[in-house]
Amino acid sequence: LVCPRNTISFGITLDHLEGSQSDDGEDDALDAVSYFGSILFMRCVSGTRVVPRCQEKKMGQDVFKGFGSSTSNFAHSYLTAACAIGVTETDVDEFCIRLMKAFKDYEKKKRKKASKENEGS
């Protein structure tokens, strides 16, 4: 994400986490990216917001396309993280350590799940 005037947060695309089409035709991208968001939460990675690509939410009779994003058709899943006033270099380092651990944990769990699915086939 290119946002040169935004000095209080940053974004990272999460397209590499998205699954492909499953056998029943449902897109796994939403679940994969949302699951990564739960990993961040469980690892106490605060100040983040994960937005799956093309997420829809229905509230009453209204359907919100691109829910959580600032547009209804943003082409990427992404993560934003707040950069607050007073944050220290140590805080940023700890954030990066936790974020990298979350990516590694996600990939490990993804491989484990795929292994179990292959054993069952």
Side-chain angles (χ1 to χ4, degrees):
L1 301 173
V2 179
C3 305
R5 292 190 178 139
N6 183 346
T7 59
I8 62 168
S9 64
F10 71 94
I12 302 170
T13 60
L14 299 175
D15 296 345
H16 66 286
L17 300 182
E18 295 181 2
S20 58
Q21 291 279 325
S22 61
D23 293 338
D24 61 4
E26 290 185 20
D27 191 358
D28 293 333
L30 183 83
D31 291 339
V33 173
S34 294
Y35 179 65
F36 181 70
S38 72
I39 289 174
L40 291 172
F41 179 79
M42 290 185 299
R43 303 293 181 275
C44 298
V45 181
S46 60
T48 60
R49 184 171 60 100
V50 171
V51 182
R53 175 180 52 84
C54 302
Q55 178 172 234
E56 288 187 6
K57 293 284 183 181
K58 185 173 182 180
M59 295 177 198
Q61 298 300 316
D62 298 316
V63 176
F64 297 92
K65 294 182 179 185
F67 186 79
S69 182
S70 59
T71 180
S72 61
N73 59 353
F74 194 69
H76 305 280
S77 294
Y78 63 93
L79 155 79
T80 63
C83 305
I85 294 173
V87 70
T88 66
E89 188 173 341
T90 303
D91 295 334
V92 173
D93 291 343
E94 182 63 27
F95 170 81
C96 291
I97 289 167
R98 291 183 189 192
L99 182 61
M100 293 310 298
K101 181 166 177 21
F103 277 124
K104 288 177 185 176
D105 288 349
Y106 173 85
E107 290 300 327
K108 182 178 176 182
K109 290 177 189 227
K110 184 177 172 182
R111 283 191 302 274
K112 187 175 180 179
K113 181 181 177 185
S115 177
K116 284 184 179 182
E117 288 174 354
N118 289 336
E119 289 174 7
S121 298

